[in-house]
Amino acid sequence: MTAVSSRRPRDPRPRLRRSGFVTALPFLAPALAAYIVFVIAPMIESVRLSFFQWTGFIGAPQEFVGIDNYIHIFTQDAVFWTAFRNTVIWVVLSLIVPLGISLLLAVALNRPLLGRNVFRSMFYIPGVLASIAVANMWRWIYNPNYGIGVSLGELFGMPWLSDVQWLGDKNIALFSVFIAFIWQSVGTNMVLFLAGLQGVQAEHIEAARIDGANSWQVFRNVTLPALRPTMVVVTVLTFIGSIKVFDLIVGMTGGGPAQQTQVLALWSYQESLVNHQYGTGNAVATVLLVITLVIVVPYLVWIARREEK
Amino acid sequence: MSNTLRAIPSHVEPRRRARFGTHGRDYIRVGLWIALLISLALWTLPLVFIVFTSLKSEHDIVSSPVFSLPLNPEFGNYAEAIQGGNLFRVGTNSLVIALIKVPIGLLISAAAAFALARIKFRRSRLLLGAIALGAMVPIQVAIAPLFQIVNNAGLLNTYLGVILPYIGFGLPYQTFILYGFFRQIPEELDESARMDGASYWRLFWQIILPLSRPALAALFILDFVATWNEYGMALVLLQSQDSWTVPLAIQGFQSQFTSSYGPINAFTIMSVLPVLIVYLMFQRYFVSGAFAGSVKG
């Protein structure tokens, strides 16, 4: 490119750059307005309210209490720690079980196989259903009197199986709900992995095979490294999805039995809007916000760096 | 996909045989296929149970195992579910909300993404980051104050009162994705258009948007499904039964008719049908949407 031709198209630029934001504003304004009013403002208000005591009723006094709400949830509120523990368990399990299954499925369905597209579509279906619908389906499947456990117990002559209280036993309820989550989320992640597998160079695999690598070595040394960017994305999306788990818990246990399946998102909602403890409810929300930001901000920085390349 | 196959020297044999010619390989593949088939059967079972139960009479449900076939299909469950769950009313609510929210939200996001991707101004990257952040924060973090805002505006239990927050919470993700897509459109296009004296508005309407049709279509479908399925915000903002959307009605039906298992399952099935139909009709968009969103993000 000559000096002249590279300069000429840029001609209109300096003028634009001076008033760049003003030019951009009409395009940005509706989005910014909706974003600020309905996302940012409530979040800031949430943090502010976490330092107050308030019932949430209009006209009721808001009393500044400093960090008392945080002291309360950290030291006196047993439910908070149950919710915290369950949220951590949920996030960690989500990053292992459904991700592992989806990766396996994606690798299997990336091969040429009879009916491959049917397989892909069918595995994906639970992912498009409303979580609350999924919750209700599984609530029926787990029904202690007529559900699958009872039928299987009778079929195989294992009475203990009929007696399992899938959602009523505090030791297993969270994991029963989690099974529904696996069922729902595997297909979505599988599609993401399949998309990522398209980026794996066939030539690299061929080359590895010619060099005598077996299937596992090819997967370990060629496919997995090439999948790394997808892996990061799927991990972050799974984290975001799992830390806000709400619908499934509401629909299947409502946090019970005895708050044993409580999670942070649900506890925050219940404290504020059901128990009218806006102060502690928003303190829980703020804790959730901080945890999310700690994970998500580095991810965004990573994305931005990758963009620059 | 086809690239993988094309990279292999062409054979006259059918595609599937091209790569795994030897018999040993074939056995592995058959084994894999059977394993997949079994997994798929397991994966489909929950749906099958729901369909079976929805077709059984109260008596059959109590006296036969979940996986037994509904030999005397009881379609009355569906009629009862439509009646008791006020299905037409809540279906209309959901449809109106989705059909207003999705196009407006998409247009607003596209405009913002256009400004961020195509108009140079200081701190535009920071702004993009600030917007993208919103896609990653759980709604529950803001739900209580959001209730207050909507309540103070007198918009509780109204379409508008839920559409506006939906737009607010939906646009970070869409803006982020569309930003990525717009960046891939060669910038020379802008420059030549601007040399011809086109304004940014014309550039946006006549060049960028038409070129982005695949991304917009994918986002439209994905957002329609997401809006139809949304529960957490609706739970707080739509409290009167007449304003309920489908997910609220599913939960409401379940707690109102606790042990009418047949109608409950019939209601769940009818509630997911629209989304299933959309999915089956526009399947490729789900894949391309995921693709645009994640890997190229």
Side-chain angles (χ1 to χ4, degrees):
Chain A
M1 226 182 252
T2 66
V4 176
S5 71
S6 73
R7 198 186 301 132
R8 274 192 64 201
R10 288 212 192 117
D11 263 343
R13 281 273 172 81
R15 190 160 42 88
L16 292 172
R17 200 170 285 147
R18 240 180 298 139
S19 57
F21 189 70
V22 178
T23 319
L25 199 57
F27 292 96
L28 285 170
L32 286 184
Y35 186 56
I36 289 170
V37 173
F38 295 107
V39 182
I40 299 297
M43 267 175 210
I44 293 172
E45 175 72 353
S46 203
V47 176
R48 187 186 74 82
L49 283 173
S50 73
F51 298 104
F52 286 79
Q53 195 162 44
W54 188 36
T55 57
F57 295 112
I58 297 172
Q62 296 184 358
E63 189 194 333
F64 181 77
V65 293
I67 58 166
D68 281 8
N69 291 324
Y70 291 94
I71 294 174
H72 174 80
I73 60 169
F74 289 143
T75 62
Q76 288 157 40
D77 182 2
V79 181
F80 172 81
W81 286 112
T82 313
F84 188 87
R85 188 200 63 202
N86 286 341
T87 304
V88 172
I89 293 176
W90 190 276
V91 170
V92 171
L93 281 181
S94 301
L95 290 173
I96 300 171
V97 186
L99 279 202
I101 299 175
S102 356
L103 183 59
L104 270 178
L105 279 178
V107 171
L109 290 174
N110 196 41
R111 292 158 165 247
L113 280 172
L114 179 66
R116 177 170 69 173
N117 289 333
V118 176
F119 278 121
R120 289 181 180 181
S121 309
M122 296 295 285
F123 279 117
Y124 190 86
I125 282 181
V128 300
L129 308 182
S131 300
I132 203 77
V134 171
N136 275 294
M137 290 179 182
W138 283 82
R139 205 180 147 116
W140 162 243
I141 290 167
Y142 286 136
N143 186 295
N145 301 318
Y146 316 111
I148 185 67
V150 181
S151 299
L152 284 178
E154 280 168 10
L155 186 69
F156 297 122
M158 294 187 288
W160 62 269
L161 194 59
S162 308
D163 292 337
V164 176
Q165 300 287 313
W166 297 99
L167 298 172
D169 181 335
K170 65 183 171 62
N171 295 315
I172 60 167
L174 187 72
F175 301 99
S176 302
V177 180
F178 189 75
I179 289 175
F181 178 71
I182 298 176
W183 182 71
Q184 189 193 16
S185 59
V186 155
T188 321
N189 291 325
M190 175 197 73
V191 168
L192 294 174
F193 279 129
L194 276 169
L197 285 170
Q198 306 309 300
V200 182
Q201 299 291 323
E203 297 84 56
H204 291 175
I205 293 180
E206 286 301 308
R209 279 197 195 287
I210 290 165
D211 289 347
N214 62 31
S215 299
W216 167 249
Q217 286 168 327
V218 170
F219 177 72
R220 178 77 189 73
N221 298 313
V222 181
T223 313
L224 265 191
L227 267 184
R228 196 169 292 144
T230 314
M231 203 65 106
V232 175
V233 173
V234 175
T235 305
V236 170
L237 287 181
T238 303
F239 172 82
I240 294 166
S242 58
I243 197 157
K244 64 181 174 197
V245 55
F246 181 86
D247 303 12
L248 278 181
I249 307 268
V250 173
M252 290 176 80
T253 65
Q259 307 285 15
Q260 288 305 303
T261 56
Q262 194 60 260
V263 287
L264 289 178
L266 179 56
W267 185 231
S268 160
Y269 158 81
Q270 285 188 344
E271 277 286 78
S272 292
L273 289 151
V274 181
N275 304 336
H276 292 284
Q277 302 284 340
Y278 262 63
T280 48
N282 282 302
V284 177
T286 306
V287 170
L288 193 58
L289 177 67
V290 170
I291 298 173
T292 312
L293 291 183
V294 165
I295 304 283
V296 155
V297 170
Y299 168 70
L300 281 176
V301 172
W302 177 78
I303 287 265
R305 292 239 176 90
R306 216 163 58 113
E307 261 277 286
E308 268 159 31
K309 279 181 199 162
Chain B
M1 198 92 33
S2 50
N3 291 340
T4 325
L5 291 167
R6 230 174 280 140
I8 300 157
S10 55
H11 290 285
V12 196
E13 286 166 314
R15 285 171 157 205
R16 285 181 290 116
R17 300 210 121 231
R19 193 139 163 199
F20 307 103
T22 66
H23 284 288
R25 288 280 184 195
D26 267 354
Y27 288 128
I28 292 177
R29 226 178 28 166
V30 169
L32 177 71
W33 196 80
I34 290 171
L36 277 170
L37 202 63
I38 293 171
S39 323
L40 185 66
L42 268 176
W43 231 245
T44 328
L45 276 184
L47 286 173
V48 173
F49 293 157
I50 305 305
V51 174
F52 282 6
T53 308
S54 77
L55 290 169
K56 286 181 189 174
S57 67
E58 211 80 356
H59 174 261
D60 279 350
I61 290 171
V62 176
S63 60
S64 67
V66 251
F67 39 74
S68 65
L69 282 164
L71 294 172
N72 312 302
E74 170 65 66
F75 293 101
N77 289 336
Y78 283 81
E80 210 176 305
I82 291 171
Q83 279 285 313
N86 209 355
L87 190 71
F88 290 119
R89 173 81 211 200
V90 297
T92 311
N93 287 343
S94 276
L95 199 63
V96 170
I97 290 171
L99 287 181
I100 297 177
K101 186 268 159 177
V102 177
I104 296 182
L106 206 50
L107 188 66
I108 292 178
S109 309
F114 171 76
L116 290 165
R118 283 308 213 241
I119 304 175
K120 303 253 184 302
F121 60 90
R122 293 180 61 196
R123 307 243 184 279
S124 65
R125 294 298 286 284
L126 196 66
L127 189 59
L128 175 70
I131 291 178
L133 201 61
M136 298 166 188
V137 174
I139 297 159
Q140 281 78 19
V141 161
I143 199 80
L146 190 64
F147 168 79
Q148 298 292 342
I149 291 174
V150 174
N151 193 18
N152 287 336
L155 292 176
L156 226 50
N157 303 322
T158 63
Y159 288 154
L160 194 61
V162 72
I163 288 172
L164 289 174
Y166 276 2
I167 291 177
F169 274 90
L171 68 87
Y173 175 73
Q174 300 183 339
T175 306
F176 190 60
I177 301 300
L178 286 172
Y179 169 83
F181 196 88
F182 292 167
R183 291 274 291 188
Q184 289 168 22
I185 298 172
E187 240 170 299
E188 289 76 30
L189 272 177
D190 299 28
E191 283 165 359
S192 56
R194 292 201 53 80
M195 291 289 282
D196 294 343
S199 66
Y200 275 119
W201 288 106
R202 279 189 54 197
L203 185 63
F204 177 59
W205 277 113
Q206 298 185 342
I207 296 177
I208 302 290
L209 278 190
L211 281 174
S212 309
R213 236 178 264 145
L216 291 171
L219 285 177
F220 190 100
I221 302 293
L222 287 177
D223 197 32
F224 179 86
V225 171
T227 308
W228 183 274
N229 289 344
E230 205 285 333
Y231 176 74
M233 266 194 274
L235 175 67
V236 173
L237 301 176
L238 301 174
Q239 305 197 335
S240 83
Q241 213 157 329
D242 277 341
S243 67
W244 276 0
T245 53
V246 169
L248 292 175
I250 298 177
Q251 188 64 1
F253 195 91
Q254 148 98 35
S255 39
Q256 196 185 341
F257 303 89
T258 353
S259 54
S260 316
Y261 301 114
I264 286 177
N265 285 296
F267 193 81
T268 309
I269 289 172
M270 285 187 287
S271 75
V272 301
L273 271 185
V275 157
L276 268 186
I277 292 169
V278 167
Y279 167 63
L280 292 173
M281 280 172 68
F282 302 104
Q283 233 185 91
R284 64 198 176 94
Y285 289 121
F286 284 81
V287 180
S288 63
F291 194 56
S294 62
V295 182
K296 300 205 171 161

